[in-house]
Amino acid sequence: MAYDPYKALYIHLPFCKHRCAYCDFTTRAIPKDSPEIGEYIENLVLDIRHASREGFLSQIETVYIGGGTPSYIGTKHLSNLLYTLGVSMHLTPEVECSMEANPESVTPELIRDIYALGVNRLSIGVQSFDDELLKRMDRIHDGARAKEAIAMAQERFDNVSVDLMCGIPGQTPEMFLDSVQQAVDLGVKHVSIYPLTIEEHTPLQRMVDAGEIEIPEDHEDREALMMGMAPNVLLPAGFHRYEVASYALDGYECEHNKKYWTGVPYYGIGVSAVTMTQNDSHRMRKQDGYVVDDLNRRQMIAEDLMMKMRMSQGVSVDEVKAAATLLPKVLQVFRDLQKDNLVKLEDDRYKPTLGGWLLGNELYGRIYELAP
């Protein structure tokens, strides 16, 4: 049976100058002149050409180059990668092409070259503009460098996004809101806000376990408070919250991430990159050659409903009714979610409430359990 065409492409670059204390991504610190970077890029080039020959890239609408720190590897390697993309797919201005960058590796030369080769959206990992908090997270840039990087990016890029973090040890709500306000004042078009997660086997977890960093008992409540306060700054500045952690000015939503949340097939290239292949009856995810998800039609529908509830628009009443043919309990589940104030019914759509977003595990879990 034929599969749906891939609409999104993710490329993973697993290299950084320095691995932060809280990071559990597939990435590692490596010297910038290491021949391993060049070898990895050459393998990506071969993989991109193979994907193009197989027709996997013929209908790609968004590209996301993540990591790691893609900006760290420099213009020579990035130019090789982006040139290959440009001749292997339709990398037109209509294709959203995002790249992640960290402030310390943003230079005018880098900005000029990646923009010329088709990148049209830059996502900068700022996390905070507060120098003490940046040190606490083991970041290697300071607030001033973050501002310089944003200004450099804006010389070419209209679409600049920043990542900010809440729940950093020692961070007060006032400190968090100050960083949000600074991002607005700097003129970025998109802001992503993530709570700090203390992942297993990270230096941060070891420091917490050793008592070097104190995490208060109400840590999650503080994070929820800060997540709930962000709209107080962003909404008056013209941003809208289109996903639980994402705010954008009109016309600047991240189209690539929206494909992940709405069940659109995507192709992954590079170590740890995930590919999602599907048709009407089957969805499969593969990572590094291994199947990590194998869903039937019922599970696909439940997953789509769950993922769409990450977004402010939620799901339509018609979608829920249609799902009921395979998930008979779905209507009752949504009624119960509405009764528990995790979901609201508005404009014939079930939309997450702020409480639903803050209690996301419960909201998403109750939907996904419809087809375990």
Side-chain angles (χ1 to χ4, degrees), residues 175-237:
M175 294 162 76
F176 167 68
L177 290 179
D178 182 63
S179 283
V180 177
Q181 185 64 58
Q182 289 194 59
V184 169
D185 293 343
L186 289 164
V188 303
K189 302 297 175 61
H190 185 284
V191 178
S192 296
I193 294 173
Y194 301 104
L196 174 65
T197 304
I198 302 169
E199 302 287 358
E200 293 184 5
H201 312 301
T202 60
L204 179 61
Q205 188 206 34
R206 289 193 285 274
M207 287 187 280
V208 171
D209 290 345
E212 297 170 22
I213 291 181
E214 183 179 348
I215 302 296
E217 289 185 7
D218 62 347
H219 175 69
E220 291 186 1
D221 291 339
R222 293 188 185 195
E223 285 185 333
L225 174 65
M226 294 182 206
M227 290 284 284
M229 293 172 71
N232 296 340
V233 173
L234 292 166
L235 299 189

Side-chain angles (χ1 to χ4, degrees), residues 147-315:
K147 293 175 184 177
E148 289 174 13
I150 292 168
M152 275 186 247
Q154 289 169 330
E155 288 292 319
R156 287 286 194 278
F157 289 88
D158 176 49
N159 196 347
V160 176
S161 174
V162 299
D163 290 350
L164 296 175
M165 193 172 279
C166 63
I168 304 166
Q171 185 184 41
T172 65
E174 291 75 22
M175 294 162 76
F176 167 68
L177 290 179
D178 182 63
S179 283
V180 177
Q181 185 64 58
Q182 289 194 59
V184 169
D185 293 343
L186 289 164
V188 303
K189 302 297 175 61
H190 185 284
V191 178
S192 296
I193 294 173
Y194 301 104
L196 174 65
T197 304
I198 302 169
E199 302 287 358
E200 293 184 5
H201 312 301
T202 60
L204 179 61
Q205 188 206 34
R206 289 193 285 274
M207 287 187 280
V208 171
D209 290 345
E212 297 170 22
I213 291 181
E214 183 179 348
I215 302 296
E217 289 185 7
D218 62 347
H219 175 69
E220 291 186 1
D221 291 339
R222 293 188 185 195
E223 285 185 333
L225 174 65
M226 294 182 206
M227 290 284 284
M229 293 172 71
N232 296 340
V233 173
L234 292 166
L235 299 189
F239 288 76
H240 62 276
R241 188 179 194 174
Y242 69 98
E243 188 265 343
V244 60
S246 307
Y247 299 80
L249 295 178
D250 289 346
Y252 291 94
E253 297 178 359
C254 180
E255 296 301 324
H256 183 86
N257 285 344
K258 283 167 66 176
K259 293 190 186 305
Y260 288 151
W261 303 322
T262 53
V264 175
Y266 49 85
Y267 194 79
I269 295 178
V271 62
S272 86
V274 176
T275 293
M276 187 181 89
T277 304
Q278 70 180 24
N279 55 29
D280 283 343
S281 60
H282 180 236
R283 172 177 294 164
M284 182 172 65
R285 292 185 178 89
K286 293 182 76 171
Q287 183 180 38
D288 297 330
Y290 295 95
V291 175
V292 293
D293 263 328
D294 197 354
L295 308 183
N296 58 34
R297 179 64 179 164
R298 293 180 72 250
Q299 292 167 324
M300 286 172 63
I301 292 172
E303 183 177 74
D304 285 345
L305 292 175
M306 175 192 74
M307 294 295 285
K308 288 178 180 179
M309 293 307 290
R310 289 182 57 122
M311 304 183 68
S312 60
Q313 66 179 11
V315 296

Side-chain angles (χ1 to χ4, degrees), residues 61-119:
E61 297 172 348
T62 66
V63 177
Y64 197 100
I65 303 170
T69 309
S71 54
Y72 172 61
I73 69 172
T75 56
K76 173 187 169 184
H77 295 308
L78 286 172
S79 295
N80 186 9
L81 176 66
L82 290 166
Y83 174 78
T84 302
L85 266 182
V87 298
S88 302
M89 58 169 283
H90 303 294
L91 195 59
T92 61
E94 291 74 35
V95 172
E96 179 190 85
C97 183
S98 301
M99 193 185 94
E100 292 180 344
N102 273 349
E104 71 278 355
S105 53
V106 172
T107 66
E109 179 190 24
L110 175 90
I111 295 299
R112 184 185 65 237
D113 288 355
I114 63 172
Y115 181 78
L117 286 165
V119 177

Side-chain angles (χ1 to χ4, degrees), residues 298-362:
R298 293 180 72 250
Q299 292 167 324
M300 286 172 63
I301 292 172
E303 183 177 74
D304 285 345
L305 292 175
M306 175 192 74
M307 294 295 285
K308 288 178 180 179
M309 293 307 290
R310 289 182 57 122
M311 304 183 68
S312 60
Q313 66 179 11
V315 296
S316 70
V317 171
D318 288 342
E319 284 179 273
V320 176
K321 288 178 179 177
T325 58
L326 286 176
L327 304 173
K329 296 181 180 178
V330 68
L331 291 167
Q332 188 59 51
V333 165
F334 272 84
R335 290 190 197 104
D336 290 344
L337 289 169
Q338 186 182 1
K339 186 174 70 174
D340 295 339
N341 201 32
L342 299 176
V343 163
K344 60 187 175 184
L345 185 57
E346 187 178 278
D347 301 325
D348 286 327
R349 300 189 72 87
Y350 288 106
K351 301 178 181 181
T353 62
L354 177 58
W357 269 339
L358 294 177
L359 297 173
N361 287 342
E362 182 175 351

